[in-house]
Structure formats: structure tokens, C-alpha cells
Amino acid sequence: MKYFLSILAILVFLCFTQNTKAQKAPSKTLLWRISGNGMQKPSYLYGTMHLKDRRLFFFGDSVYKSIEATEGFAMELDPIEMMDSLFTKMGETDTSTLLKQLLDEKKFKRVSKKLEKKFGMPADKISRKRLIKERENWYYNVQKKDDMKSMVDLYLYNIAHKQGKWVGGIEDVSDQFAIKDELGKDINIEDYLDDDNEEKKKAYLKKMISMYADQDLEKLDLWISGSQSKKSNDLLLVNRNIKMAYRMDSLAHVRTSFFAVGVAHLPGETGLINLLQTKGFSVTPVFSSKKIAPENYVYDVKEIPWVKFAEPEGAYTVEMPGKPSDLKSPGSEVNFKIYADLVSNTVYMSGFSFHGTDEKPRGYDEPYDKVICNQRI
């Protein structure tokens, strides 16, 4: 679970620390209607934050009405595809460069003891991958007791899914991993040594949430302008926006859709609002008459059948809420099937292995023991 969230956590930075050009006085709203360009019915674009802070979940009534009116819902990444990729990578050995190879000998010696205390492991065992993971998980240290179980995007995704709508992603998972790897090339070791870093992050997060709640895209755009190099901006926003606008064009012509993406992707000359307008769409602001507390939104829930599957070897048959991923732990003989419900933070897992005994499964000639692990964590 935390692997998925750590990937998304970095998007907090992607959404608020990039260099974009200010847009002409956009309306104070995060919800935009996409119409025209040959479409009979409108789709919608909504700016989100990839956080679980309860203050972000008081959506306007128009947000819920827009989801109900559309046939599909798409966030940046399809959670199922993301989990498939993450579980695959979990079994991979960390072969990234060690910290001691990234720093000169004098600097490494200076920071070793402090890093060992922070990471709880010998400094010469700390890898670049471990440093990236620590950077991505920064916001876990500032979570509050009243936080929601899932992030904004996943919360809305779940509502659409329970309403029986098509759900999926806009971007390719491989693109996100490529961005993560690219970001990880530049490691500033001082970021991990600053004792005041946590307080700075809390202050940054507080301001970020306040500006988001104000729904002022112009203010957000001006705030983030100039904070990154052109190379970083192209990597984190511009290139992704171009691809997302292309995908949104295609998806909206297949079915009416509600698109939920990080809010920094919306404004500016290279933002999604302008790019979609350039493609011939009419993109207009949508306002709400009131905000609704998350516990007060009531909607019709459709029964979603669980997915039934059987192991190829015929060891067992089981049902899970969704399509499970494969998980093979290094050095383990157990083949796991795993499904992570990211909204309820529930993990479903099943697995089996064969060992010596007198019983024989169909198609097997060697003696074996069958061990079935079928559990909800």
C-alpha cells in the first residue's frame, strides 16, 4: 500500500513546484466543462491534490453532479495498472548507486553518522533508491488523525466505480516511473540533514492547502512560477500536459468523462485548459452553489461483482474485489496473487507452494505439500 502512496506523494511536488506562465485571470474554480469539437455531451476537468487532508474533501455540489452525469472517470494513473507495476518492482533487487559512490569521501564521512541515525542502517548501505523513497514519503510525517483513508483522486475514483462507471487512467505507468528515475538523479544530501526541514515542509503544506481551498488558479500559477528550471518544468508538467490533452481528446470522444488531475496541470499557456482549447474544445468554468461534507454525500451504489480466478496449476479458486496482481518475493517459493483496495486500505492475498508429500495435484508427478494462504489484511 505504502509503495503506491509513495509514488503518488511525489506528485504533490509536481503539482506545486513547477515553472508555468501565468494565465489571464482565470475564474476561481477547480471544475471546468469540456464541450464542442464534435462531442454531443460535455466532459469535465477537475484539479485535485494528491493528499488525504480532510479539508480537501468538501467538494462543491457541481463536482458530484458532473461525476454522476458522465459515463467514465479517469485520474492520472489507473490504480490497477500502477499496482501491477509496483508489485513487479517489489521483487526486484535494489541495484541503484550507493550513497558513498555519489559523494566524495570527505563529505560522505561528514554525513555518515547523521544519516545512519535517520535511516536506521549503515551509511555505506544507503542507496540512491532509498534516498528517493525517503524524499517521496516526506508528507507521511505530517498526517493528521482526521485524515481521510485515501487521497482525493482515489476517493472520487471510488465514487465513480461504485456508480458503475468505466474507470481508468490517462497517463502510462511507465511514464511516471521514468519521471521518478529522472528526478532521482539529482540528490541534494543537505535536504536529508536539515533539522528544520520537517517544519519547513509543514509550513509549505499549510500554505499549499490554503491556496488550493481558495480555488484561485491564477494565484497558484503565479506562486509556482519560476521555482524550477525549464528542464524540470518540461519533464514534470509540459510534456505530461501535452500527452494528457491528447489522451483526454481521445477518451472524451469515446465516452463522456470526468478527468481528475493535479491542479497545477490546469493553468498557464502549457496547461490543460489552454491545450484543450487549442484542440478546438470549449473549456468553461463550472461553479457550485454549496460544498458538501464527505459523509453527507449520498448516491446510488451498484453491486460490483468480484473477480473469480483460478491458479493455472489448479491448486485453488478464489474471488477478490478486483483483478489481482502477481507477487513473487525474492527467494520465496510461494506464488502470491494480491489485490490492494487503495480506498479502504485493505489488501487481499492468496498463494500456494508445493512440497514433498504423498498427495499429487493433477498434472504433477513429484510428491508435494500444498500450502494455501488466503487472507484479507
Side-chain angles (χ1 to χ4, degrees):
M1 171 58 56
K2 195 166 182 180
Y3 289 96
F4 179 85
L5 296 179
S6 66
I7 291 292
L8 287 180
I10 197 170
L11 296 182
V12 173
F13 287 110
L14 306 190
C15 290
F16 288 94
T17 60
Q18 316 310 319
N19 174 32
T20 57
K21 296 182 179 179
Q23 181 182 22
K24 232 181 189 180
S27 302
K28 293 183 69 172
T29 181
L30 304 174
L31 180 64
W32 297 75
R33 181 184 292 107
I34 306 170
S35 58
N37 200 12
M39 297 195 306
Q40 299 301 311
K41 295 181 179 180
S43 289
Y44 295 88
L45 171 65
Y46 184 65
T48 69
M49 281 186 68
H50 311 297
L51 293 173
K52 298 189 289 185
D53 192 294
R54 178 177 164 79
R55 291 170 291 179
L56 306 175
F57 290 76
F58 287 77
F59 303 107
D61 55 352
S62 292
V63 174
Y64 290 124
K65 290 177 182 178
S66 299
I67 293 177
E68 293 168 1
T70 49
E71 301 166 311
F73 178 98
M75 52 190 285
E76 291 175 18
L77 294 177
D78 181 350
I80 304 301
E81 292 181 5
M82 170 62 83
M83 295 311 298
D84 274 338
S85 297
L86 286 174
F87 287 131
T88 298
K89 286 184 171 292
M90 282 173 62
E92 296 178 355
T93 303
D94 182 4
T95 58
S96 61
T97 308
L98 294 174
L99 174 61
K100 66 179 181 181
Q101 297 171 315
L102 296 173
L103 305 177
D104 61 63
E105 186 176 353
K106 184 177 180 180
K107 190 170 188 178
F108 178 73
K109 186 175 181 180
R110 177 176 67 83
V111 303
S112 291
K113 289 187 177 180
K114 198 164 188 177
L115 288 174
E116 287 178 356
K117 182 178 180 180
K118 183 179 183 66
F119 287 87
M121 60 190 302
D124 59 1
K125 300 295 183 182
I126 300 173
S127 66
R128 183 170 67 88
K129 183 177 179 180
R130 182 68 181 83
L131 291 170
I132 295 172
K133 186 181 294 185
E134 177 69 19
R135 183 173 64 189
E136 292 172 357
N137 291 342
W138 67 270
Y139 76 101
Y140 287 122
N141 298 323
V142 294
Q143 291 189 88
K144 304 186 305 302
K145 291 182 178 179
D146 66 343
D147 279 352
M148 303 293 282
K149 289 184 178 180
S150 62
M151 297 182 181
V152 171
D153 316 66
L154 283 168
Y155 179 83
L156 296 176
Y157 173 99
N158 186 55
I159 288 174
H161 180 57
K162 286 186 174 180
Q163 291 179 2
K165 301 182 184 299
W166 176 91
V167 290
I170 303 169
E171 297 183 274
D172 295 320
V173 174
S174 57
D175 292 342
Q176 289 279 346
F177 280 121
I179 291 172
K180 177 185 174 183
D181 290 340
E182 187 67 26
L183 287 172
K185 289 181 179 179
D186 300 320
I187 296 292
N188 181 7
I189 198 62
E190 301 302 328
D191 291 340
Y192 302 88
L193 302 175
D194 187 355
D195 293 330
D196 297 326
N197 219 19
E198 291 304 316
E199 292 305 316
K200 291 177 182 177
K201 290 172 182 175
K202 289 178 182 179
Y204 180 85
L205 187 61
K206 182 179 179 180
K207 182 177 181 180
M208 187 167 61
I209 291 175
S210 175
M211 295 180 69
Y212 177 85
D214 195 37
Q215 301 190 75
D216 192 333
L217 293 183
E218 182 180 27
K219 185 186 295 184
L220 283 167
D221 196 35
L222 289 171
W223 184 48
I224 61 180
S225 179
S227 61
Q228 289 290 330
S229 67
K230 182 180 184 303
K231 178 182 177 182
S232 295
N233 181 63
D234 289 345
L235 176 68
L236 302 173
L237 279 182
V238 178
N239 296 341
R240 294 174 64 204
N241 287 350
I242 292 172
K243 188 168 186 176
M244 281 199 282
Y246 176 84
R247 292 281 178 84
M248 288 179 182
D249 186 349
S250 300
L251 289 169
H253 277 92
V254 172
R255 64 179 67 83
T256 57
S257 301
F258 186 100
F259 300 109
V261 301
V263 68
H265 291 285
L266 272 61
E269 293 182 9
T270 57
L272 288 172
I273 293 174
N274 187 58
L275 290 178
L276 290 170
Q277 289 173 337
T278 301
K279 286 181 172 293
F281 291 100
S282 174
V283 186
T284 54
V286 179
F287 302 96
S288 295
S289 60
K290 62 179 179 179
K291 290 188 176 181
I292 303 173
E295 63 271 14
N296 292 336
Y297 174 56
V298 180
Y299 58 97
D300 293 331
V301 176
K302 293 189 177 181
E303 184 177 353
I304 308 297
W306 282 30
V307 176
K308 184 177 182 178
F309 69 93
E311 278 293 334
E313 293 85 353
Y316 66 88
T317 300
V318 70
E319 292 183 353
M320 292 188 185
K323 178 180 175 293
S325 304
D326 293 309
L327 177 61
K328 177 69 174 178
S329 301
S332 172
E333 296 181 0
V334 182
N335 300 300
F336 289 108
K337 289 287 187 179
I338 183 169
Y339 174 80
D341 184 336
L342 300 173
V343 178
S344 64
N345 291 327
T346 303
V347 176
Y348 300 81
M349 180 183 294
S350 65
F352 75 95
S353 65
F354 295 121
H355 302 284
T357 187
D358 293 333
E359 299 180 40
K360 297 180 181 180
R362 184 175 54 195
Y364 278 81
D365 294 327
E366 297 298 324
Y368 84 109
D369 268 337
K370 180 171 65 177
V371 179
I372 296 181
C373 166
N374 199 4
Q375 58 183 315
R376 171 178 171 173
I377 303 172

